[in-house]
Structure formats: structure tokens, C-alpha cells
Amino acid sequence: MKWELMNAEEVAQTKVYREWGMTDEEYEKVVALLSRKPGYTEIGIYSAMWSEHCSYKNSKPILRKFYTEGPQVLQGPGEGAGIVDIGDGQAVVFKIESHNSPSAVEPYEGAATGLGGILRDVFSMGATPIAGVNSLRFGELTDDRTRYLFKEAVRGISDYGSKMGVPTIAGEVKFDEAYHGSPLVNAMVVGLLNHEDIKKGVASGIGNKIIYLGAKTGRDGINGATFSSDAVLGDNSDQGSAVQAGNPYLEKRVMDACLELIHEHSDIIIGVQDMGAAGLVSSSSEMASSADAGVVLYTDRVPQREEEMTPYEILLSESQERMLLCVKAGGEEVVAQIAEKYQLPVAVIGEVTSGNLYQVYHEGELVVDVPVRTLADDAPVYEKPWAEPERMKHAVAYVPEDFDLTEMTKALLNTADLASRQPVIEQFDTTSLGQTVVRPGSDAGIVHIPNSDKGIAITVDCNGRYVYLDPEIGGQMTVAEAARNIVASGGQPLAITDGLNFGNIKDLEVFYELKFAAQGISTAAERLQTPVISGNVSLNNENEAGSIYPTPMVGMVGLIPNIHQVTPMHVQQAGDALYVVGKTGADYSGSVLQKYQTGKISGPLHFDLDEEVRQQQLIQQMNEKQLLQSAHDLSEGGLLMGLLQKVFQTPYGLQVTINKSKAELFSESASRFVISIAADHRTDFEAYAKEMGINCEYLGVVTEEEMIAVQCNNDQLHCPKEELEAIWKDGLSC
Amino acid sequence: MKAAIINFSGANGALELAEALNTHTDFTVEHLSDQTIDLSDYGVIFLPGGASYGDYLRPGAVAATTPVMSALKQVRQYATIIGIGNGFQILCEAGLLPGGFVQNESLNFHEELVTIHFNDLKLQLLASAKFGQYVLNDSIKDDQVLMTYEKGSPFGSRAKNIAALCDDTGHVMGVFPHPERVCQSWQAATDGKEVFEWIEEVASRNEGRK
């Protein structure tokens, strides 16, 4: 028993599994499944595989209810990433993933390896990554630690992305005390592949080889999966080793090697999987379980960069940049040659077996001998109790205090909520690969599909304030906003991936947030025909003050039929008419205005999914008729902010008269767009909108003179654009 | 004319460069590994952008020691050699071009669409780098400077206002902003076309002198 730190009896007595996040009840379940007491390595791998991060034991009942179907879906949830058909024998592969806990401790490496992990999920399926997107949340930028977390997380993503040559083409970053000390760092990657190149994470065919390719294994990230599922609270100094360090140069070679194997040697490649959370044990057991096969591994054959590693450590290490392949017997030599070409460590570490056992030998000693499915499929599933949040029971609509329009406009432009994201955007490589059509800063980023006229529009959205006030409606609004961003850019929404970031689900109200936000997402996904094809769950995000805002980030991908007919966000010429599409109501609950005036948020939300669909249809049809000069989704800050965003960074100004109160200029009613159309298309457009029964309001014109002239019912704003734009540009200090 | 693009390990700019060359020049493009030891067949040789060898040590430092660099030195009397972005950095590290690159003043990666003065033209090109400050202690002739930034280097105040230059023979050139990212109909600008057409002219002229 050289390689077992303690025997099965000692495991039972010391309850060592508790340190790894496993409960006594879960331990008893393992004993029952095996009809014996598990050994040290065995219970170690169960505690990782049964963590929330790997098993989704707490969220599975919720995830099962997602709307996941559609003719465009080639692969739904369950694989490394989901796949959607884009026609012409091609498909896009995408998924969002969180790396919140590591980023709270070591933001540079945490963010970098988060991107590295999701890249591997995408290229392991045979897809070439074509775009990266990120969604970030931090506390307000009022203390050094928060500024450090923000700066370093951005730097981590920037460095890893630019060295991989994968452009960052969209994203969002928001700041709120709700995320103080508990930042959210989510990264999404979109890849492109031909249908025939789709590879899944399976290990089938008795005698076929399990091959390890990529970085050597060290002691980094052991029990990272368990750590990720725990709250990030207080002193984390002893958990530094649970954060992995990234190496993009190695990842680039691993990617090139995997894609060469899949594209040029598909006859020998059975399956490919990233060694992500819970490393080797998770990838190997999931691959075998997917094929209903057994597997035997020899952990002493795993390339290692530290001495005297135990099988427990080798199985659970989360060292980065490692892939596991299932290769037809006889194909080992080809894999070895490709590994040599890219100078990568490679080793045959096991094979597919008959039966259904997961067996691990280390230097001849059998240290794991359990049924495969008990690891991957038999994790407990918990139906958690929930309770409607108190705040929802007494929700009263917010009525804004009076203000001066000019002062308020300047003040809001200067908040971290609404200030220009340019200081962040310019730190990313947004144009590598040469296919970027629309860079970050618009409603959606767009990349060109090579050798075609098509493009892919990508956005990621979530307004945690709305989801906090009403999880179900907020969830619906999140999907709707993402779709509005795609539609405003001239795209047709295809599908979504969701990054479910929530607080501590032991809190009944937090579990309510998760359950009902997911329900809202699912309802809207079905109504908008954008199925959920992949996703990620990150729970227990909390700080001293409590749980974060529920933040289910929705990454959406849409198809652009012709990249030469993209609808820009910014106005295009003087004299064009400006309209707002959709109704503006008294929607101040959860608004930036409320946050600015009161420092907190409260109140009920209003949202009509049918209205949303109609408004989006109008814009889509206007796109098809090529009547739009520009279109922009209205979201945080409302109509006035949307108008300003349309003329900032252009050589134009605007002159509008709006039949609304000044407060209504900041109302955040959903389902609205602000558009510009050529003057001679006004009659056509108005007739068309009327026929569809859609509320459209003429506001005024784009002007040659760079002035902002806004007249509303009870105030006016008359200001050189330059002055407002300067405030907006400098509002984000980083 | 046959053009070679050197694929340095880990670099990522070769594909878009090949696409740009195929769009705007009559070059016959081939991709070669950085272990190549004979370049005598090629009239023009490109060192593309994008983090060769993961930018270890300094961008270009490791790539400058690869076998293909010795091969480059053998053909530089008659072939035209062009480094773009990281390729420029490699040429500096190998001593084929003067000067060198240091980290941006902000310490961060920086990307910006910038106006470049090139011959009598003003071009919109894309500056994108983390080690973008070009520093130069040697004196060079005025006609070695091929491009300058209209508003000064976007990467920091230590940098010379040079966006592209050539060696004293005119055969070896470094272009720091990326013309291959702004030369196609779908990209943010299309001025990169001018650069590729000019490269083709220079390459033909140099070949004529062979």
C-alpha cells in the first residue's frame, strides 16, 4: 500500500473526505454503491467528481428544465461545448465558463486559465476558435484591492488571448458593491468547424488507447473543483496552490496538435477531452461513461513535473494545457509524431476495457477499482428548498427624485455603470485572425466566416440588478437583451450559452434566485427560439455582506447572412431621422438612475415577452429591407444614454424633441431600440411600423454640427458633444 | 514571384497574412517552418505577426535563434525580407534591423487604429502590441524610415516615431502596425492594400537587381 496515504478503515475513521467537501451522507452513499469502504484515492476522486463543479448535484434539477431544442442544434448541453448549424456544412461551437474563485485569489492567472480552459473545451470538439468574449463583475472601483482585481483579470485575459491569436470581439464589465471581494470572471469562446470534424469526449472500443497529450502534471489545482464550489471568504492564503498558472505558448501548440490530429487523422481519433475541473479523473471517467465502457489507467506513466506524486495527486491535479485522447489501437505512433512536431509531452497511459470498471494502477498497485458510472453519473442530486425573497413581497415601484437634466446627464456619464469601456477594450487584441468585422463597443461583436459572405454576431449580457429584483422576469430580460443586441446588429439569433453565477444556495432565497432565473431564461429562450446549448454553474459567490446579485450571464450567437450588410450601432449621416422603437414606461426599479440617486435598488419589474418578440421582428424585417442606417439596443441608462452612445465617436451631433418627462429619458423599459433611417425612408418605415402595431416615436435628426440638443417636456439639454464625450471617456478609472 | 511565410512556433499571424497576399498581390504563397535551412527559391520572405515562442524572454528573442534566420541571412542580398509586428521584433533581435522593442509605457497590451504617414499617403493601420515601443540608439538614414505615426507612437513616450523602416540595403523591412488586419472588405479599414501593393513593387525591383 505504498501509494495510499491511509487505508479504507482510516479513511472511515478520520473522515478525511470532509476536508474535500464531501458530507458523511455522501460517503455512506459511496460505501453503498461499492458494497465496501472506499480507499484513500477512491474517496478523493469521488469527492471531486461529486462536487457541484463536476456533478451539478445542486443545479441538475434546474438545468434539466432548460429549453435545449431546435433544428439548428447539432449538440446540446452535456459535451465540452454545444454546437449549432450555420449552413453550408459548417457549424459554430461555443460555451461560457466561469473562473470566479481562482480570480478572486489570483486574478491574473485565474482569468488567464479561465480563458485557457474554455478554449480547450472548444478545440477538443474539433473546432478552430474564432472569437473570445468575456463578462466581468467587480466591486465599485473605490479601493485598491478591487482596482487590482479588475486590472489584473483584464491583463490575464488579454495576454492569454493575444498569445493564442484568438480575438476578443465582445464583452461586458460591470461594477457593484454586490461583487466586492467576489468578482465574476466568465469567458466564452466560439469556434468554427465542418460537420464531419465534430469530435466528442468518448472513449470506446475495447483495447483502444488512452493517450495523454500536453503539459506535464504538477501539484497545482488539486481539489480545485471542490475549491471552486466553496465560498471565497476571508483569508485564502492557504489556497494559493489551488490556483493554476497558465502557459499560452504551450496551449497554442496543444491546440494546433489537436486540430491537426482531428482534421488530418480523424480515422484514428475516437474522442478528445480537455483535462479541466478534476483533471484526469474527470476527463477519463466521463469519456468512458459516455461510451458505456470501462477504462484502466496507469498513473505512473503520466508525464510529471514534480517528484513522488501520488496517484491521488495525479488524478486530481488541474495543471493546465493537458488533453486526453482516445485513439484507435495502432494509432499511437501517429500521435507521437504530431506530439514531436509540436514538442509536446505525450504518453499512452491506459486503454479502454470491457466491462464497466474504472481502474487505476500506480507502479503495479491497484489504487482505484470502481464502476465508471458511480463516478460520472451516480452523484447525488439534491432538490433544494427555496423561498421567495422578502424584497419581492413588498416591492414598490421607484419614483425618481427631481433633478436637473444637464447635471444628471453629466453625472451618469461619469459613473462606472455608463462610462466608456474604451480603456478596457483597447487592452485586448480584437483583430487577430483578420476576420473581425465589428470590434467590441457595439451591441454585438461580429466575425467573418472565411470564404463566405456570412458572419457570426456574438454578445454576452446580464443585468444582475434586474435579476435580483425579480429572478424570473430578470432571467427573461437577460435573454431578451442578448437577442436585441444580435438583432440590432443585423443578425438572426441562433442559440445561447449560460453562465449561471449565483450566491450561497444554502440561503433559501438564493436558491429561489437560481431556480426562477433559470426558469425565466428557459421561457425566453423558447419564445425567442434560441435554445440553451451549453453552460456553466458557479455557486456560493459571496462576500462579507452576503451573496452576489444573481448573475446568469447569457452568451448569444447569431448568424449574419451577409457581412456587407451589417447594421452599425452608430449614426451614419447628418439629416437621418432618429426614432425610438418600443414603449417607454415608468421603469425605474433597478435602473442606473435609482442606483445613482439612492445607492441601492428596489421595486418590481415590468416586461412583456410578446411585445419583445414583435419589436425584434420589426427590426429584423427592417434589416432585411435594408431600411436601417443604424440600430442600437436600449438598456442601462435608457433612451438618452442610448442616443448619446449613437453619436459619440462619430463626427455628428443630434437635435431631438422628445415628448416625455426628463425622468423618462432615463427609464429602462425593456424591448426598445433607437434607430436612424434616411429621411426619404420615413414614410415607408412609419407605415410599416403602424401595420405591425408597433409603437415608434420620431425624435429628431442627426446633425452636422456636433451639438447635443435635447428638448423634453420639462427640461432641456443643450451641450457641445465634445464636453459630454470627454466626461464619458474618462469615467472609468483603471 | 514565390513568397514564403515563415511559421514560427506559437505564432498566429500567418493565415491572415496569406489571405492578404492572395488578395492583393500576385505572389505564389508558401508556408515554411522555422526549421527551414534553404530559402534560395523565394523572392520575398515574410515573418508574420503574433507571439512566436510565446514571446518568451522578449518578443522575437527565441525565434531569432531558429535555423531559418541563418537561411535568411544568406538570401538577404537579393531577396526581400519583411517582418510584420512580431516579425519586425524578430528581425531586430536577429540584428537584421537596427533598434529593438520594449514594453508599452502602460505595461498593458494596446490596440488602436492609427494614422500612418507612408510615402505621400495617410493610411489607417492597426497598431496592436504589448511590446510596441521602438527604441533606437544608432543613427539611421532618413530614407530608411518608411512609415511614421501621425500622432506619435501609441505605445509610449520612449518610442521613436517610426512605424516601419528598412535596412541600409532596402532589402530587409520591418512594419509594426498590421496591414493584413486592415485590407479586406469586412475589416475596420482597407488601407493595408496600399502596403501590400508597394511591397510587391519593391520585391520586383529588388529581384531585378539580383
Side-chain angles (χ1 to χ4, degrees):
Chain A
M1 295 295 282
K2 182 186 171 196
W3 292 107
E4 291 282 83
L5 284 187
M6 51 179 81
N7 63 33
E9 269 319 314
E10 288 162 344
V11 168
Q13 278 161 22
T14 58
K15 301 188 192 300
V16 60
Y17 49 81
R18 285 180 176 176
E19 284 171 33
W20 304 327
M22 181 174 251
T23 64
D24 291 350
E25 293 73 30
E26 288 167 345
Y27 172 80
E28 290 305 330
K29 182 168 177 179
V30 174
V31 173
L33 283 169
L34 298 181
S35 307
R36 65 175 168 83
K37 287 176 184 160
Y40 180 82
T41 305
E42 287 175 337
I43 200 63
I45 66 176
Y46 277 105
S47 65
M49 290 300 293
W50 288 13
S51 69
E52 173 64 24
H53 204 69
C54 290
S55 74
Y56 298 110
K57 61 189 172 188
N58 295 303
S59 48
K60 218 177 223 173
I62 289 162
L63 304 180
R64 275 188 197 127
K65 290 180 186 156
F66 271 135
Y67 177 73
T68 59
E69 287 155 23
Q72 71 273 44
V73 178
L74 300 179
Q75 173 66 55
E79 275 294 325
I83 309 180
V84 176
D85 190 12
I86 57 165
D88 303 318
Q90 290 182 302
V92 287
V93 177
F94 63 93
K95 186 184 176 189
I96 194 168
E97 196 157 274
S98 66
H99 230 208
N100 303 335
S101 317
S103 302
V105 179
E106 212 318 299
Y108 179 85
E109 294 296 351
T113 55
L115 177 56
I118 189 62
L119 278 163
R120 289 192 297 280
D121 276 337
V122 168
F123 70 69
S124 68
M125 310 222 37
T128 305
I130 57 170
V133 178
N134 56 72
S135 184
L136 312 173
R137 298 292 183 279
F138 301 91
E140 301 287 354
L141 292 173
T142 45
D143 63 280
D144 288 344
R145 174 70 185 169
T146 305
R147 279 194 292 269
Y148 169 80
L149 289 174
F150 172 42
K151 235 178 128 78
E152 289 296 291
V154 168
R155 205 167 64 83
I157 295 169
S158 164
D159 278 358
Y160 208 98
S162 64
K163 287 183 184 175
M164 288 298 291
V166 177
T168 298
I169 74 141
E172 52 162 16
V173 55
K174 295 183 183 183
F175 308 91
D176 198 290
E177 276 313 284
Y179 305 103
H180 185 258
S182 188
L184 303 181
V185 175
N186 283 212
M188 168 178 168
V189 167
V190 181
L192 177 69
L193 52 55
N194 294 323
H195 290 187
E196 66 267 23
D197 290 331
I198 294 174
K199 282 289 167 202
K200 295 182 182 175
V202 291
S204 61
I206 295 161
N208 284 336
K209 304 300 176 191
I210 304 297
I211 300 186
Y212 176 110
L213 178 71
K216 291 181 178 178
T217 295
R219 289 190 169 90
D220 41 349
I222 291 168
N223 260 316
T226 313
F227 165 64
S228 292
S229 307
D230 277 346
V232 179
L233 265 183
D235 177 20
N236 288 301
S237 53
D238 61 333
Q239 288 177 320
S241 69
V243 180
Q244 316 85 346
N247 179 341
Y249 173 46
L250 190 51
E251 174 113 335
K252 176 78 167 76
R253 288 177 287 143
V254 170
M255 176 172 85
D256 291 348
C258 282
L259 291 175
E260 185 168 336
L261 281 166
I262 293 170
H263 295 161
E264 285 163 38
H265 303 281
S266 64
D267 51 323
I268 58 162
I269 304 296
I270 310 280
V272 182
Q273 191 154 339
D274 164 39
M275 284 188 242
L280 177 57
V281 63
S282 163
S283 50
S284 56
S285 63
E286 284 172 11
M287 284 174 85
S289 178
S290 297
D292 251 333
V295 68
V296 58
L297 299 179
Y298 304 91
T299 37
D300 48 303
R301 296 182 193 168
V302 168
Q304 295 158 48
R305 64 176 151 79
E306 293 184 56
E307 288 180 3
E308 293 288 304
M309 287 186 71
T310 65
Y312 168 86
E313 291 170 327
I314 294 168
L315 286 165
L316 290 175
S317 161
E318 291 187 7
S319 292
Q320 297 290 295
E321 291 98 17
R322 304 177 305 156
M323 303 298 287
L324 200 61
L325 316 176
C326 178
V327 176
K328 269 193 187 150
E332 301 95 312
E333 193 47 40
V334 172
V335 179
Q337 281 164 9
I338 301 278
E340 164 82 29
K341 176 177 170 185
Y342 291 98
Q343 296 171 292
L344 295 170
V346 64
V348 179
I349 62 163
E351 62 182 51
V352 182
T353 56
S354 59
N356 62 357
L357 290 179
Y358 187 86
Q359 295 176 308
V360 178
Y361 288 89
H362 197 84
E363 293 186 354
E365 184 181 327
L366 181 66
V367 291
V368 177
D369 188 14
V370 302
V372 171
R373 66 181 162 69
T374 61
L375 288 169
D377 304 326
D378 286 346
V381 175
Y382 298 117
E383 297 277 354
K384 289 275 191 185
W386 44 270
E388 186 184 15
E390 279 302 314
R391 61 182 178 270
M392 293 180 65
K393 294 174 187 161
H394 321 287
V396 178
Y398 178 65
V399 179
E401 295 156 26
D402 189 31
F403 56 83
D404 175 82
L405 180 59
T406 306
E407 278 173 25
M408 183 57 79
T409 304
K410 289 178 181 173
L412 292 185
L413 284 171
N414 196 42
T415 61
D417 299 301
L418 294 172
S420 169
R421 267 44 185 159
Q422 202 56 37
V424 184
I425 293 168
E426 67 187 19
Q427 290 179 45
F428 293 118
D429 188 334
T430 69
T431 54
S432 50
L433 298 178
Q435 307 301 334
T436 303
V437 181
V438 176
R439 297 163 67 201
S442 280
D443 288 336
I446 299 176
V447 285
H448 173 226
I449 301 296
N451 307 314
S452 80
D453 281 336
K454 291 190 293 191
I456 293 294
I458 312 170
T459 180
V460 61
D461 295 285
C462 181
N463 187 330
R465 291 195 300 273
Y466 298 163
V467 188
Y468 175 77
L469 292 183
D470 188 325
E472 184 165 11
I473 291 180
Q476 289 184 15
M477 289 170 78
T478 306
V479 181
E481 188 191 346
R484 272 203 307 283
N485 281 323
I486 299 290
V487 168
S489 309
Q492 303 157 356
L494 281 176
I496 63 176
T497 180
D498 54 21
L500 303 174
N501 302 277
F502 285 82
N504 189 336
I505 53 162
K506 283 180 194 142
D507 180 337
L508 302 188
E509 294 190 355
V510 172
F511 198 76
Y512 175 100
E513 292 170 358
L514 171 62
K515 182 180 168 70
F516 285 90
Q519 196 165 303
I521 287 171
S522 192
T523 307
E526 182 166 7
R527 190 73 179 78
L528 293 162
Q529 286 301 296
T530 53
V532 179
I533 63 156
S534 59
N536 179 254
V537 180
S538 170
L539 302 177
N540 301 328
N541 297 288
E542 59 183 344
N543 55 29
E544 292 82 353
S547 288
I548 59 162
Y549 283 155
T551 313
M553 295 160 181
V554 169
M556 185 178 286
V557 168
L559 183 67
I560 303 279
N562 185 342
I563 46 154
H564 298 107
Q565 289 168 18
V566 162
T567 310
M569 179 181 110
H570 292 108
V571 299
Q572 298 296 303
Q573 59 183 14
D576 281 358
L578 290 161
Y579 284 86
V580 60
V581 175
K583 279 182 229 146
T584 302
D587 293 296
Y588 305 107
S589 300
S591 67
V592 174
L593 184 63
Q594 184 186 30
K595 180 181 167 185
Y596 182 78
Q597 287 191 327
T598 70
K600 50 188 189 287
I601 54 163
S602 63
L605 299 177
H606 164 263
F607 180 63
D608 182 339
L609 195 47
D610 292 327
E611 200 179 310
E612 176 76 41
V613 171
R614 276 203 307 279
Q615 253 93 277
Q616 290 193 18
Q617 278 169 351
L618 172 72
I619 297 297
Q620 277 186 299
Q621 291 178 18
M622 296 289 295
N623 277 330
E624 279 163 28
K625 292 175 192 290
Q626 293 191 54
L627 284 179
L628 298 177
Q629 287 287 331
S630 71
H632 180 33
D633 151 55
L634 288 187
S635 55
E636 281 177 283
L639 176 56
L640 182 53
M641 289 298 148
L643 280 166
L644 294 176
Q645 287 155 3
K646 282 184 81 71
V647 294
F648 284 165
Q649 296 174 304
T650 74
Y652 305 108
L654 57 80
Q655 184 167 20
V656 296
T657 304
I658 307 176
N659 183 23
K660 299 189 191 311
S661 69
K662 57 186 161 188
E664 284 173 320
L665 300 187
F666 300 103
S667 155
E668 296 184 9
S669 299
S671 317
R672 293 183 301 162
F673 296 89
V674 58
I675 61 169
S676 66
I677 56 177
D680 51 0
H681 284 143
R682 277 190 63 186
T683 324
D684 284 356
F685 168 71
E686 286 179 14
Y688 196 67
K690 195 172 175 188
E691 185 189 314
M692 287 185 74
I694 285 168
N695 192 311
C696 284
E697 215 171 305
Y698 174 72
L699 303 173
V701 290
V702 178
T703 58
E704 202 76 63
E705 193 192 3
E706 294 190 51
M707 282 294 293
I708 302 298
V710 178
Q711 179 70 52
C712 67
N713 293 345
N714 52 352
D715 206 342
Q716 61 170 339
L717 170 68
H718 197 82
C719 189
K721 187 183 75 175
E722 195 183 1
E723 190 184 333
L724 297 176
E725 191 165 341
I727 296 169
W728 175 71
K729 270 186 179 162
D730 292 339
L732 193 61
S733 53
C734 64
Chain B
M1 188 186 296
K2 279 174 77 174
I5 295 178
I6 310 301
N7 288 345
F8 288 96
S9 176
N12 56 55
L15 285 179
E16 56 267 39
L17 177 59
E19 196 173 8
L21 294 176
N22 288 331
T23 308
H24 297 297
T25 72
D26 290 325
F27 294 143
T28 308
V29 179
E30 289 179 27
H31 292 270
L32 301 180
S33 113
D34 60 10
Q35 303 300 307
T36 304
I37 50 170
D38 181 3
L39 293 167
S40 55
D41 273 356
Y42 302 91
V44 56
I45 299 148
F46 288 89
L47 284 65
S52 58
Y53 291 86
D55 287 346
Y56 278 104
L57 199 55
R58 289 179 307 278
V62 181
T65 67
T66 54
V68 76
M69 297 309 290
S70 313
L72 269 183
K73 287 174 186 167
Q74 286 160 20
V75 301
R76 70 169 151 159
Q77 300 306 323
Y78 51 89
T80 303
I81 297 164
I82 297 143
I84 298 175
N86 184 229
F88 189 169
Q89 295 168 327
I90 296 169
L91 291 171
C92 291
E93 289 287 340
L96 288 169
L97 286 176
F101 287 83
V102 298
Q103 192 163 2
N104 297 348
E105 195 163 25
S106 68
L107 302 180
N108 294 325
F109 191 93
H110 182 82
E111 187 187 81
E112 188 181 337
L113 201 58
V114 289
T115 304
I116 297 287
H117 288 254
F118 171 56
N119 297 331
D120 294 331
L121 303 170
K122 277 190 187 185
L123 305 181
Q124 292 278 297
L125 296 184
L126 205 105
S128 183
K130 186 170 182 177
F131 284 72
Q133 291 201 91
Y134 179 66
V135 291
L136 177 69
N137 296 323
D138 312 331
S139 60
I140 57 170
K141 287 180 288 183
D142 286 350
D143 62 0
Q144 282 181 251
V145 177
L146 303 174
M147 297 182 192
T148 54
Y149 296 103
E150 182 171 69
K151 293 179 178 170
S153 169
F155 301 113
S157 57
R158 273 185 69 193
K160 292 273 176 192
N161 189 24
I162 295 174
L165 86 170
C166 61
D167 69 351
D168 50 13
T169 72
H171 280 258
V172 183
M173 292 180 272
V175 180
F176 203 65
H178 292 270
E180 76 281 13
R181 299 187 189 186
V182 278
C183 68
Q184 307 283 4
S185 62
W186 60 83
Q187 293 171 339
T190 53
D191 295 351
K193 172 176 179 280
E194 302 288 343
V195 180
F196 291 112
E197 289 174 356
W198 177 80
I199 287 172
E200 192 166 24
E201 271 174 47
V202 173
S204 307
R205 214 159 53 220
N206 284 340
E207 196 187 38
R209 289 188 198 137
K210 187 172 173 180

